Amino acid sequence: MDRKEKILDILKEREKISVKELSRIFKVSEMTIYRDIRELENSGKLKRKYGVVYLNKEDKSKNFVIKQCPVCDKPITRPRPYKIILENDETVEACCEHCGLFLHQKYREQQVNAITYDFITDSPITAFDAYFVVGSEAVPCCSPSVIPFSTKETALKFQKGFGGEVLDFVEAYNRLTKRIKIEINSIKKKN
Ligand SMILES: [Zn+2]
Ligand SMILES: [Zn+2]
C-alpha cells in the first residue's frame, strides 16, 4: 500500500489529521506530505484547510459541472484553479499555472489580473507578485510544472526538495512561452 492510500485509511479512522502529524507518522518531510495530499485533493478524495486534511464526503457528481482547460483540454478538477480576470470582468480558468501562463499569452493584448494560490498555504496571491518553481520533480498537472508561492523564501525551500528554478511571473512566463517556441522551431527543422 502506498503512502497516499495509507493517508486515506487514516482519515477513514479519524475525521481529520494535520500535515505535521502525517509527516511524523511517515517520517517524511511536510513538503512530501503536501505533495501527496495535493494529488489526493485534485482527485477529489480529500479536502484541505490550511495544515489540516479531511476526507471529502461530498459527491462531486452533484451540482458539479466539470470545466475544461482552454489550453490543454484537461478537465479542471482543482478546487482553486488558476484564474485570469479580463477587462470586462469575465474570468477564464486554467487547469494549472503552466496552462495559466499560456492563457496570458492569448490575452496579452488586454489588461488582465490573475489569481493563483500558494502551494503550501492555499492563500490567494496576485499571480504577478508570486514566485514560481518551474520544472521541478513535482508535477501535479501539466509538465513542465509551474508551482506558485507567495514568498521567494518558500519557493526556494520547495526548490531544495524538488529541484526546478525559482522565477518571478515575467521570468516564468518567458521561460514557458519561449520553451514552446523552441520546440516548434525544432519540429520545423526536422521536417
Ligand atoms: Zn491545461
Ligand atoms: Zn495543467
Side-chain angles (χ1 to χ4, degrees), residues 69-81:
C69 174
V71 179
C72 71
D73 289 342
K74 259 189 228 171
I76 299 177
T77 52
R78 238 170 83 172
R80 289 164 291 272

Side-chain angles (χ1 to χ4, degrees), residues 2-191:
D2 79 355
R3 201 170 46 232
K4 276 174 278 180
E5 288 172 50
K6 282 181 191 157
I7 292 173
L8 288 175
D9 268 11
I10 291 171
L11 281 170
K12 278 170 199 159
E13 300 283 313
R14 319 167 36 157
E15 206 183 322
K16 58 183 180 184
I17 191 162
S18 72
V19 171
K20 241 192 194 108
E21 202 174 341
L22 285 171
S23 115
R24 269 202 303 268
I25 291 170
F26 293 108
K27 298 186 175 65
V28 293
S29 72
E30 287 182 35
M31 284 285 185
T32 304
I33 296 293
Y34 272 114
R35 187 164 62 159
D36 289 342
I37 64 177
R38 172 62 56 136
E39 283 175 36
L40 290 167
E41 193 183 25
N42 284 345
S43 58
K45 289 186 179 126
L46 57 77
K47 285 201 278 192
R48 169 166 69 124
K49 205 169 179 194
Y50 304 105
V52 180
V53 289
Y54 307 81
L55 266 193
N56 188 8
K57 288 175 188 154
E58 282 165 35
D59 185 352
K60 265 195 155 181
S61 59
K62 284 181 197 158
N63 311 317
F64 192 77
V65 181
I66 296 171
K67 286 189 218 161
Q68 268 189 327
C69 174
V71 179
C72 71
D73 289 342
K74 259 189 228 171
I76 299 177
T77 52
R78 238 170 83 172
R80 289 164 291 272
Y82 191 91
K83 197 181 286 173
I84 294 180
I85 302 147
L86 304 173
E87 279 166 330
N88 55 7
D89 274 346
E90 204 185 302
T91 61
V92 278
E93 291 178 349
C95 61
C96 65
E97 285 63 26
H98 168 109
C99 287
L101 291 174
F102 283 107
L103 262 191
H104 279 289
Q105 196 177 31
K106 185 176 172 189
Y107 293 108
R108 67 185 180 278
E109 306 291 326
Q110 289 194 48
Q111 282 293 330
V112 296
N113 220 325
I115 305 294
T116 185
Y117 295 86
D118 185 284
F119 189 67
I120 300 299
T121 63
D122 267 343
S123 51
I125 332 160
T126 302
F128 309 128
D129 296 333
Y131 289 90
F132 299 92
V133 177
V134 177
S136 72
E137 282 168 35
V139 185
C141 192
C142 301
S143 177
S145 64
V146 179
I147 299 179
F149 296 92
S150 52
T151 67
K152 196 169 189 175
E153 201 190 347
T154 43
L156 287 166
K157 205 172 146 193
F158 185 85
Q159 182 199 33
K160 249 188 175 171
F162 297 103
E165 274 181 285
V166 174
L167 303 172
D168 67 21
F169 178 84
V170 173
E171 291 166 336
Y173 173 83
N174 286 335
R175 178 60 43 90
L176 244 78
T177 49
K178 205 165 117 199
R179 191 190 173 107
I180 288 297
K181 266 187 214 143
I182 290 164
E183 280 170 7
I184 290 167
N185 288 343
S186 58
I187 290 166
K188 274 184 188 159
K189 268 176 209 162
K190 269 181 208 161
N191 292 339

